[in-house]
Amino acid sequence: TILGETHEEEDEILPRKDYESLDYDRCINDPYLEVLESMDNKKARRYEAVKWVMVFAIGVCTGLVGLFVDFFVRFFTQLKFRVVQNSVEECTEKGCLALSLLELLGFNLTFVFLASLLVLIQPVAAGSGIPEIKCYLNGVKVPGVVRLRTVVCKAIGVLFSVAGGLFVGKEGPMIHSGAVVGAGLPQFQSISLRKIQFNFPYFRSDRDKRDFVSAGAAAGVAAAFGAPIGGTLFSLEEGSSFWNQGLTWKVLFCSMAATFTLNFFRSGIQFGSWGSFQLPGLLNFGEFKCSESDKKCHLWTAVDLGFFILMGIVGGLLGATFNCLNKRLAKYRMRNVHPKPKLVRVLESLLVSLTTTVVVFVASMVLGECRQMSSTAHSGNGTLSLQSMSEDVNSSIKTFFCPNETYNDMATLFFNPQESAILQLFHQDGTFSPVTLSLFFLLYFLLSCWTYGISVPSGLFVPSLLCGAAFGRLVANLLKSYIGLDHIYSGTFALIGAAAFLGGVVRMTISLTVILIESTNEITYGLPIMITLMVAKWTGDFFNKGIYDIHVNLRGVPLLEWETEVEMDKLRASDIMEPNLTYVYPHTRIQSLVSILRTTVHHAFPVVTENRGNEREFMKGNQLISNNIKFKKSSILTRAGEQRKRSQSMKSYPSSELRNMCDEHITEEPPEKEDLLQQMLERRYTPYPNLYPDQSPSEEWTMEERFRPLTFHGLILRSQLVTLLVRGVCYSESQSSASQPRLSHAEMSEDYPRYPDIHDLDLTLLNPRMIVDVTPYMNPSPFAVSPNTHVSQVFNLFRTMGLRHLPVVNAVGEIVGIITRHNLTHEFLQARLRQHYQTI
């Protein structure tokens, strides 16, 4: 059951959850926004200035969250590796390596256990959070996805996950953390901290909140990779379904604020040089530069492009394999792990940690090769940042289980933070044996695939980059050793391999290209990275979707693609709409409203009046029905009546020519023998017969009674109806509707974003015979389409305007159905298209 529509769809994995639809469309032509409508230029400028301040604050706070995560990850990781390294060095001579393994297991299992406990507190904090944020920006509100408790559990949990030795990254969850900061900071209130509330009248709508979430997600990418432009493009490409030019500038400003906040504090803390800005992001690829002694070396040549294309194809195949295996694991977890007690999820995380730790330790001890250290160090050009990067690369070499002047190439990759291992593959002068790289790639591929999806906060960007870098370095070694291409720069092939594998897994193109270029500070890599990512995406798309789209589909979220397929234009709006409507009248008794709200889960209701042939009799006998009929009469426009109004307004112009022309037109108009408005009301229109279902829902109702003509007047939201009931907005039948209390926009949005639920309402406080006039609170001019509109036009209108409900109205103003996002999902359209072919 999904709010906005009742639509049952078979799901072999998991029944659908209650995903709310964000009410972006209520901000379009909403008569309630007198706050914005009454703004003069001064207030409008103030509103815009406050928005700029908010996006800057979001960027700064996101950078501080990244600083917090990075500091404690480094602290716990260094503490663990220092203890384990000393133990391994001692036990190598004494023969007590089992004790070293137990110490490593103690650290890792403790950290992973703490991360799993935090996920039990807030389950939505598991994983990277990118699928959930993608759904939110697409218009689907996953419960709890942008709460304060979520970001706390996410930030603390991911540092324990990374420190616990799992093959996960901290950069992916930064996107989720930034999005939560963007959603909560401008509200100045929190569900978790109810006592902390400020009277802040701005940004009390889902549309503003969505824009801030877009800015926060971009700031998370910018803080993770030091790529503000890439973060902006990520939010545009992978996130928002609705975008505008003004939002682009604000999102970029927010990303810049996050990047430089993190850069300022990290550079000052690590180098003691405040204001130097030397560490732009959590993951820094360093500078790619050939050794001055190697005259044949080039970063890349035109000949290498052919190898890059082949690497893109292989990366796409590997990514498709990774996604296929992870999808099967996710299905298995949904069937056999998630239905069981929550303790089973913790045990699964501990099992993955145990297996990973044992594999890493045994592989480094048994499979690693002792190789001679390079005599020439990666010197750099003398700047502080390059020297520090070179020192980090050389200092991260591990000599586990090897004699002096040699290093263990497998331990160098496994017993280092993932960022240091990536730098080793990008910049280490020493070589890694092809056997070591092959085994490392295979083990890392399988373990990271198993890890992604367990109940801990985890990212996928860095593990994919590290796995792909090993693949690229392996290709470079093979080309050097067996083909004799001495001009090859191994770091370039490692970077291209990382891009190919990551592109094959996540299927990102533009944003990922810019992120990798900004992370390397090398614009000459733009063309090979772009070609590699395009080829990897095309190859992977031939087999399956990206990893984030796969997990979105497994959750049953109705995510809308960017556009529909060409063959979908064979369908019309009448083919995909829902004709079974639950509606309210302009004047409705409280008893009826409560019954509708408690027995349905629809998120919006059309406001209609019935077209009856005996309306004059009802106007005499029933006050409630009379009010509805009077409202219909006053809301219906006639061509003659509109022409009269225009003629009268034109008479007020000083031009004598206009006045004479209008007078002549009016004198030529024939006198009306009967009121045209009354003729329209008394006429009974027959709905389209092809919109009827095959069978009537009830034997007691005829088809005409079930689908009687309904004049459409507007849309009203469930949250608005519940608010009216809670605040007692109604009038008695003996009174006029003008006596009903009027609520302002601020009063209607006071409970945003957690509106009261109808099931929590005390019905004893309500008088069921009282009447509610919903007309002042409905949206009288929502977007609507004709039953004959092509599906592609419906889809483009729905997605580009950020709609959540699209009424289908015929030529005489009668509503014949309604379209929600579930009617526009790929699976639903495919089913309707198959049904269309069967009826031809």
Side-chain angles (χ1 to χ4, degrees):
T1 304
I2 302 182
L3 295 182
E5 177 195 13
T6 302
H7 171 61
E8 299 294 335
E9 182 176 346
E10 293 184 2
D11 194 333
E12 60 174 353
I13 305 303
L14 191 67
R16 287 189 180 274
K17 296 182 179 180
D18 293 336
Y19 293 113
E20 279 187 51
S21 295
L22 297 178
D23 305 324
Y24 300 159
D25 56 338
R26 72 182 268 185
C27 300
I28 302 174
N29 298 328
D30 195 338
Y32 250 113
L33 295 183
E34 69 266 13
V35 176
L36 298 180
E37 293 174 356
S38 61
M39 279 187 179
D40 54 17
N41 291 334
K42 184 177 180 180
K43 290 182 179 180
R45 287 195 298 269
R46 184 187 308 164
Y47 183 86
E48 190 69 13
V50 172
K51 184 173 288 189
W52 279 98
V53 173
M54 284 294 102
V55 295
F56 177 76
I58 291 170
V60 172
C61 293
T62 304
L64 294 178
V65 171
L67 179 67
F68 167 81
V69 173
D70 179 69
F71 176 81
F72 282 100
V73 165
R74 286 177 177 271
F75 175 77
F76 288 127
T77 304
Q78 290 176 0
L79 175 64
K80 180 184 71 173
F81 283 140
R82 187 181 300 115
V83 173
V84 173
Q85 182 173 357
N86 295 334
S87 176
V88 169
E89 290 176 354
E90 294 178 2
C91 290
T92 302
E93 300 176 357
K94 299 179 181 180
C96 57
L97 288 176
L99 181 61
S100 301
L101 177 59
L102 291 178
E103 290 181 356
L104 184 60
L105 282 173
F107 276 107
N108 289 347
L109 293 177
T110 301
F111 290 149
V112 172
F113 178 72
L114 294 175
S116 299
L117 289 183
L118 290 170
V119 170
L120 292 185
I121 297 174
Q122 189 68 5
V124 76
S128 65
I130 295 178
E132 289 80 5
I133 295 303
K134 186 174 182 179
C135 295
Y136 188 95
L137 294 178
N138 193 264
V140 181
K141 186 177 180 181
V142 182
V145 71
V146 290
R147 293 187 60 180
L148 176 63
R149 188 167 61 182
T150 301
V151 71
V152 172
C153 295
K154 194 85 172 184
I156 300 177
V158 73
L159 66 90
F160 284 128
S161 299
V162 177
L166 293 177
F167 292 166
V168 298
K170 60 180 181 290
E171 284 73 15
M174 279 299 301
I175 301 172
H176 191 181
S177 301
V180 178
V181 172
L185 187 62
Q187 301 299 317
F188 286 92
Q189 64 178 6
S190 172
I191 302 299
S192 303
L193 303 175
R194 298 182 183 273
K195 295 183 179 180
I196 302 178
Q197 289 189 356
F198 299 91
N199 186 15
F200 193 69
Y202 302 103
F203 318 128
R204 307 290 291 174
S205 68
D206 280 332
R207 168 170 287 186
D208 286 330
K209 193 172 182 179
R210 173 205 61 196
D211 292 344
F212 287 126
V213 170
S214 300
V221 177
F225 298 97
I229 300 176
T232 304
L233 292 176
F234 173 86
S235 186
L236 172 61
E237 179 185 7
E238 291 294 318
S240 296
S241 59
F242 180 79
W243 198 266
N244 59 66
Q245 187 175 6
L247 181 60
T248 306
W249 190 233
K250 293 183 180 67
V251 170
L252 180 60
F253 180 65
C254 183
S255 301
M256 287 287 184
T259 300
F260 285 98
T261 299
L262 182 63
N263 197 344
F264 174 80
F265 284 102
R266 288 192 70 205
S267 301
I269 293 173
Q270 186 164 344
F271 301 117
S273 177
W274 296 92
S276 58
F277 297 104
Q278 302 170 46
L279 298 174
L282 298 180
L283 179 62
N284 185 18
F285 291 160
E287 182 178 350
F288 290 78
K289 185 178 181 181
C290 289
S291 176
E292 296 179 359
S293 60
D294 190 357
K295 302 299 182 182
K296 297 181 180 180
C297 176
H298 300 282
L299 290 182
W300 67 278
T301 62
V303 178
D304 298 335
L305 284 177
F307 296 110
F308 295 159
I309 293 175
L310 294 177
M311 292 175 65
I313 295 174
V314 177
L317 294 174
L318 292 174
T321 305
F322 184 96
N323 294 350
C324 180
L325 294 176
N326 190 264
K327 180 179 180 180
R328 293 181 179 274
L329 283 171
K331 288 183 177 181
Y332 177 83
R333 290 188 178 106
M334 289 180 175
R335 291 194 186 101
N336 301 287
V337 178
H338 292 175
K340 295 181 179 179
K342 294 182 178 180
L343 181 61
V344 177
R345 305 185 188 184
V346 178
L347 295 177
E348 183 196 16
S349 302
L350 294 177
L351 175 62
V352 174
S353 176
L354 174 65
T355 306
T356 302
T357 304
V358 172
V359 168
V360 166
F361 192 88
V362 174
S364 300
M365 182 175 62
V366 177
L367 303 178
E369 295 186 15
C370 296
R371 307 186 68 83
Q372 192 70 28
M373 290 187 180
S374 175
S375 60
T376 61
H378 194 290
S379 59
N381 61 4
T383 63
L384 182 61
S385 60
L386 290 177
Q387 288 177 359
S388 62
M389 189 272 292
S390 178
E391 293 174 0
D392 289 341
V393 170
N394 294 327
S395 63
S396 59
I397 292 177
K398 300 299 180 183
T399 60
F400 290 171
F401 320 114
C402 289
N404 294 333
E405 301 301 326
T406 60
Y407 68 94
N408 189 324
D409 56 356
M410 185 73 78
T412 300
L413 296 177
F414 273 134
F415 276 89
N416 269 313
Q418 296 177 93
E419 291 81 359
S420 299
I422 291 175
L423 291 178
Q424 286 285 342
L425 293 171
F426 284 171
H427 304 290
Q428 177 57 256
D429 288 340
T431 59
F432 296 90
S433 83
V435 177
T436 298
L437 290 172
S438 301
L439 293 174
F440 175 80
F441 172 80
L442 180 61
L443 294 175
Y444 213 94
F445 180 93
L446 296 175
L447 288 175
S448 60
C449 183
W450 186 22
T451 304
Y452 187 73
I454 63 175
S455 295
V456 295
S458 58
L460 193 60
F461 273 88
V462 174
S464 299
L465 287 172
L466 180 54
C467 198
F471 159 67
R473 189 69 181 250
L474 174 62
V475 173
N477 286 3
L478 294 177
L479 292 178
K480 280 185 175 182
S481 303
Y482 296 99
I483 301 182
L485 299 179
D486 296 333
H487 73 280
I488 285 178
Y489 180 59
S490 300
T492 299
F493 275 77
L495 175 64
I496 295 301
F501 187 80
L502 181 58
V505 172
V506 300
R507 311 290 164 78
M508 294 163 52
T509 51
I510 301 175
S511 58
L512 187 55
T513 300
V514 177
I515 288 172
L516 294 178
I517 292 175
E518 289 185 281
S519 299
T520 58
N521 292 321
E522 186 63 56
I523 191 62
T524 58
Y525 281 142
L527 179 61
I529 290 176
M530 183 178 297
I531 292 176
T532 303
L533 288 176
M534 289 172 56
V535 173
K537 175 178 171 56
W538 291 340
T539 304
D541 286 342
F542 185 79
F543 298 96
N544 50 34
K545 294 184 177 181
I547 188 67
Y548 300 133
D549 292 329
I550 288 175
H551 281 265
V552 167
N553 292 335
L554 290 177
R555 287 175 172 84
V557 179
L559 194 73
L560 297 185
E561 304 293 338
W562 282 104
E563 58 186 7
T564 60
E565 300 176 358
V566 178
E567 61 178 352
M568 294 302 172
D569 263 348
K570 298 178 181 179
L571 300 176
R572 299 292 190 268
S574 58
D575 297 322
I576 66 172
M577 72 181 187
E578 176 58 48
N580 295 284
L581 301 175
T582 301
Y583 48 84
V584 299
Y585 298 112
H587 299 263
T588 308
R589 294 194 188 277
I590 289 181
Q591 180 180 3
S592 299
L593 287 180
V594 171
S595 176
I596 290 173
L597 293 173
R598 290 178 67 90
T599 57
T600 64
V601 292
H602 305 312
H603 202 50
F605 302 91
V607 181
V608 302
T609 51
E610 296 183 10
N611 293 340
R612 297 178 178 270
N614 52 351
E615 288 180 345
R616 291 181 178 179
E617 299 178 5
F618 281 108
M619 292 185 67
K620 297 177 181 178
N622 190 304
Q623 180 68 25
L624 177 61
I625 299 180
S626 176
N627 288 341
N628 289 327
I629 295 175
K630 288 179 180 178
F631 172 77
K632 179 169 66 172
K633 287 184 176 182
S634 63
S635 63
I636 291 181
L637 304 179
T638 64
R639 296 175 63 189
E642 282 300 297
Q643 184 61 32
R644 271 194 222 100
K645 292 179 182 179
R646 295 176 185 177
S647 300
Q648 292 173 1
S649 62
M650 292 170 74
K651 290 181 182 180
S652 63
Y653 283 90
S655 173
S656 58
E657 297 180 0
L658 272 178
R659 184 166 55 252
N660 295 336
M661 184 176 62
C662 292
D663 291 341
E664 293 174 2
H665 180 75
I666 293 176
T667 55
E668 293 178 359
E669 184 178 354
E672 296 180 354
K673 295 183 180 180
E674 189 173 359
D675 189 2
L676 297 179
L677 177 60
Q678 191 63 31
Q679 291 182 3
M680 178 183 293
L681 294 177
E682 292 180 352
R683 182 179 177 184
R684 182 179 180 85
Y685 297 98
T686 303
Y688 296 99
N690 60 336
L691 302 182
Y692 293 160
D694 296 332
Q695 296 180 354
S696 178
S698 174
E699 296 296 334
E700 300 177 357
W701 287 15
T702 64
M703 190 69 70
E704 289 73 15
E705 290 176 334
R706 183 66 183 86
F707 293 93
R708 47 185 174 271
L710 303 171
T711 300
F712 179 66
H713 300 289
L715 278 177
I716 190 165
L717 300 176
R718 166 182 288 268
S719 58
Q720 293 173 319
L721 291 177
V722 176
T723 302
L724 294 178
L725 293 177
V726 170
R727 295 183 175 271
V729 178
C730 56
Y731 68 95
S732 65
E733 194 167 0
S734 60
Q735 297 175 330
S736 170
S737 60
S739 63
Q740 176 177 281
R742 296 293 295 270
L743 299 181
S744 64
H745 175 267
E747 292 173 323
M748 288 291 292
S749 60
E750 183 177 348
D751 296 322
Y752 178 85
R754 296 287 184 267
Y755 290 104
D757 188 78
I758 186 61
H759 297 282
D760 300 331
L761 187 61
D762 188 0
L763 302 182
T764 60
L765 301 178
L766 301 177
N767 185 352
R769 301 301 298 172
M770 297 290 283
I771 304 171
V772 179
D773 181 9
V774 302
T775 56
Y777 308 98
M778 70 180 184
N779 183 356
S781 55
F783 288 96
V785 293
S786 166
N788 294 321
T789 307
H790 289 279
V791 163
S792 61
Q793 294 175 286
V794 174
F795 189 92
N796 291 335
L797 175 64
F798 198 94
R799 202 182 197 285
T800 56
M801 297 309 300
L803 305 182
R804 296 298 165 261
H805 312 91
L806 186 59
V808 182
V809 181
N810 62 18
V812 293
E814 296 171 351
I815 183 170
V816 293
I818 195 166
I819 295 174
T820 64
R821 63 187 306 109
H822 302 286
N823 301 102
L824 295 172
T825 57
H826 180 74
E827 294 78 10
F828 186 87
L829 292 179
Q830 287 285 354
R832 292 296 184 182
L833 187 63
R834 288 193 296 268
Q835 185 178 358
H836 173 76
Y837 285 140
Q838 292 175 359
T839 57
I840 294 179

